[in-house]
Structure formats: structure tokens, C-alpha cells
Amino acid sequence: MIFKWIALGFRGYFMSNWNKFDCFVVFSSIVDLLMEQLGSQLGNLLRVGPQLARILRVLRVSRLFRLAKNLQGIAALIETMITSIPSLVNVFALLFLIFFIYSVLGVFLLRDIKYGENIIGDYANFANFGNAMTVLFRCSTGEDWHRIMFETMKTNDCTPGYNCGSSANAVFFITFVVLLQFIMLNVFILILLETFDENYF
């Protein structure tokens, strides 16, 4: 930045919006480093010190947007994502509807399973709508969804109304995972590819 400033001069440097953006990011990074070095002393002067520092750290990442100016491929991808936002909002609405339906079904079918061997417990259960949404979100990431399913399928050595389930609960979890991890993920990719195809081919 300093070399460009010397080469172009003060007025010439600030004629470009990208240079203004670059200058803002550099100075915000310097302020962030100063706040980190001064630590609690500056924190006492500024009550919003920690929050401001986090914002300034995030701004460092925004330098990557400068690549879009020079690399046409990245610029095309960013433009494709921006153009796809209206369609993606519809997909997110459909995704929320699937979560809502399965959460209600989960509370209706699995609310009596309060505890499992490892995962189902005080917070990870289907006792209410909020907990059901949390467990389903966890299942949608692929993290131990099969273990949650097996804990809801327990029929031997269990107490009814406490940890007894049914082998039919496998249908609930398998259909949810197939819908989320395979169908909905492919719908996202399909929308992005279709938008890219319309704009660049």
C-alpha cells in the first residue's frame, strides 16, 4: 500500500475505490493490532473494545475480495452466488419446512425416550420442539446421527416411558438424512450450476 501511495501520489491513490477499500482494511488491521497489544489499558478506555476488535479481525478477511477484480473465475463465482440468492432463499424456506415437520413428528413419536446410552440426555432429546430442532440439526451435519437412531430403537432391557423405543424409528431418521444430506444438498448445487450456466454459457 505504501509503495502504491508513493508511486501514485496521495490524490492519485485515492481516486480508485479499491485503493480506498485497501487503505481502510490496512488501517483497521493496525488498530486491531494496537488494541491487542495494549490489552486491558485500551479496554478500560473503550467499553466496546473486545467487540470492536472482533469486527476489525473479520475485516482482514475482506481483503480476499480484491482477488475478484483481477481473477475472472472468482468474479464469475461471486456473481453467480449473488444472482442465486432469490432461489436459495426459497430452498432455505423448504429446508426450514422439512426441519419443522420432522421436529413435530419427532416430538410426537419420540418424546417418551428421555435418556439413551451415550447421546440422548437432558439437552439432546425430543421432549419439546426446541430440543427436537437441535437434535435434527445435529443429525443434518452427519454427526453421530446413526447412534441417535440406534438409541431410539432400543426395545430390550429398557424402561417404558424412559428409554424404550421402536425399530420403526429407523424410518424417521433415514428419511430425514436422505432428504437433507442427499436431496437438499444437491438442490443447492443444482441452483448454483443452473445460474452459472445461464450467465456464462
Side-chain angles (χ1 to χ4, degrees):
M1 185 186 89
I2 293 172
F3 290 121
K4 285 179 77 175
W5 206 335
I6 293 168
L8 299 172
F10 186 78
R11 287 187 179 178
Y13 180 83
F14 285 103
M15 288 181 71
S16 169
N17 289 329
W18 281 110
N19 289 342
K20 292 176 188 175
F21 175 72
D22 196 32
C23 183
F24 172 73
V25 172
V26 168
F27 279 112
S28 63
S29 299
I30 291 169
V31 171
D32 176 36
L33 291 171
L34 287 174
M35 289 177 69
E36 192 174 329
Q37 293 298 323
L38 294 176
S40 60
Q41 297 174 357
L42 191 61
N44 292 332
L45 296 174
L46 292 172
R47 290 176 186 257
V48 292
Q51 291 84 2
L52 184 61
R54 287 188 201 109
I55 293 169
L56 294 176
R57 269 186 214 112
V58 170
L59 286 174
R60 286 187 196 171
V61 180
S62 62
R63 277 190 143 186
L64 294 172
F65 288 119
R66 285 191 59 103
L67 293 173
K69 184 179 79 168
N70 300 323
L71 300 174
Q72 292 182 352
I74 293 177
L77 289 175
I78 291 172
E79 188 176 340
T80 299
M81 293 186 71
I82 291 170
T83 311
S84 302
I85 287 174
S87 300
L88 292 177
V89 168
N90 294 332
V91 175
F92 273 116
L94 180 60
L95 195 64
F96 177 76
L97 183 64
I98 292 170
F99 268 98
F100 183 86
I101 291 169
Y102 272 86
S103 296
V104 172
L105 275 173
V107 172
F108 181 72
L109 297 172
L110 309 170
R111 66 173 173 260
D112 291 333
I113 305 171
K114 295 178 175 60
Y115 290 95
E117 294 177 2
N118 297 309
I119 298 175
I120 296 178
D122 291 330
Y123 302 106
N125 56 48
F126 290 88
N128 56 53
F129 181 78
N131 285 357
M133 283 285 271
T134 306
V135 173
L136 288 176
F137 180 76
R138 183 174 174 177
C139 291
S140 70
T141 64
E143 182 189 356
D144 289 336
W145 72 269
H146 59 284
R147 293 175 66 188
I148 299 171
M149 178 182 72
F150 289 137
E151 288 187 10
T152 63
M153 292 170 60
K154 188 175 182 180
T155 55
N156 299 323
D157 299 326
C158 62
T159 306
Y162 183 75
N163 62 350
C164 270
S166 168
S167 55
N169 293 336
V171 176
F172 174 84
F173 286 96
I174 290 171
T175 55
F176 178 76
V177 169
V178 167
L179 268 173
L180 262 290
Q181 292 187 5
F182 297 99
I183 297 175
M184 295 306 295
L185 180 63
N186 286 327
V187 168
F188 275 106
I189 296 169
L190 176 68
I191 287 171
L192 291 173
L193 288 176
E194 187 179 357
T195 308
F196 188 82
D197 188 47
E198 286 176 0
N199 291 337
Y200 296 100
F201 288 102

